[in-house]
Amino acid sequence: MSSTSLYRHFPTREALLLAVYAAEIDGLEGAVDELLAKEAPLDAFRSWSRQLAELVRIKHGLGKRWPAPRRRR
């Protein structure tokens, strides 16, 4: 995908980052029913908690590295 195509859908880097992050959170939310269908409630909670911890581990410090959005006047 070219940067032109990318910026057609996401006008800023921040918008792209937020879209990716929202998709990951939606995936985490969607995993609840799937895990409960396959595992006992406590085991499902443990599996979900591991997924959450992994997402937090990956995203840790990302906000500090990302420049603050510029204010529009």
Side-chain angles (χ1 to χ4, degrees):
M1 177 179 276
S2 71
S3 61
T4 303
S5 295
L6 191 62
Y7 283 111
R8 185 176 304 132
H9 298 285
F10 305 101
T12 64
R13 290 180 181 182
E14 292 84 6
L16 174 59
L17 178 65
L18 288 173
V20 170
Y21 188 71
E24 291 172 338
I25 295 300
D26 289 345
L28 192 59
E29 179 184 0
V32 172
D33 291 333
E34 182 181 320
L35 290 169
L36 286 171
K38 295 189 302 187
E39 301 177 15
L42 184 57
D43 293 333
F45 177 72
R46 287 176 178 147
S47 295
W48 184 86
S49 295
R50 280 193 283 283
Q51 290 179 16
L52 175 61
E54 180 64 12
L55 184 62
V56 169
R57 185 188 69 77
I58 291 169
K59 301 299 182 205
H60 177 74
L62 185 61
K64 293 177 185 173
R65 293 186 190 110
W66 202 262
R70 290 182 234 142
R71 292 188 175 183
R72 294 183 182 176
R73 294 178 187 202

